[in-house]
Amino acid sequence: MREVNADSQRVTPAPGSVARRLAVPGGLLVAVAGAFAYVGTVDPNEPGHYPACPLFRYTGVYCPGCGGLRSAYAVAHGDLGTALGANAVAVFGYLVLAAVWTVWVVRSVQGRPLRVEPRPPLLWALGALLLVFTVVRNLPFGGWLRP
């Protein structure tokens, strides 16, 4: 529980040790690192290791996530160019996740909660970006965005 000091109007950190406050961000780091380690060892470019995208399999249309595993594989191997070629939006998502996680850790050490409250215009803009990305990668001139 946080308390406000009436003299200075400053918020005092929540009680608990720093290790306890870092447990959840640390657990997320372990889970994400484990997922990248698994994808980094099991090549998604070889058939039979992962299920096919159902949208692409039945319609031939690339969804915004198509190429995401190949992108993660390339990131795990340090090949940023190939990762961007496989799915540029996924690489952007990895960077955003890393930035938000870093802010979360810093705020946890300070004893302050992480508040992520995106405004509707941002959510609409992200949705529009994904829609445009999906449409362009499925058009003839957008072949460079395909995995």
Side-chain angles (χ1 to χ4, degrees):
M1 187 69 67
R2 303 173 111 207
E3 298 177 10
V4 176
N5 184 340
D7 296 331
S8 65
Q9 294 297 321
R10 298 182 75 198
V11 177
T12 58
S17 69
V18 173
R20 185 174 182 171
R21 291 191 307 255
L22 291 176
V24 175
L28 180 66
L29 176 64
V30 168
V32 170
F36 268 89
Y38 179 78
V39 172
T41 57
V42 180
D43 189 355
N45 296 304
E46 295 178 16
H49 292 291
Y50 298 99
C53 172
L55 182 67
F56 182 73
R57 184 175 188 175
Y58 295 116
T59 67
V61 173
Y62 292 102
C63 75
C66 282
L69 282 174
R70 283 171 269 187
S71 175
Y73 178 81
V75 167
H77 288 274
D79 189 356
L80 189 59
T82 302
L84 287 168
N87 191 325
V89 170
V91 174
F92 177 72
Y94 306 148
L95 294 174
V96 168
L97 177 65
V100 169
W101 182 85
T102 302
V103 170
W104 187 14
V105 167
V106 169
R107 291 182 68 88
S108 293
V109 167
Q110 295 171 344
R112 298 168 35 203
L114 175 68
R115 296 188 194 272
V116 179
E117 298 172 7
R119 305 244 186 252
L122 176 63
L123 296 175
W124 281 101
L126 289 174
L129 174 74
L130 285 176
L131 180 64
V132 168
F133 175 72
T134 303
V135 169
V136 170
R137 78 188 315 204
N138 284 290
L139 293 174
F141 65 87
W144 58 279
L145 289 174
R146 292 185 194 131

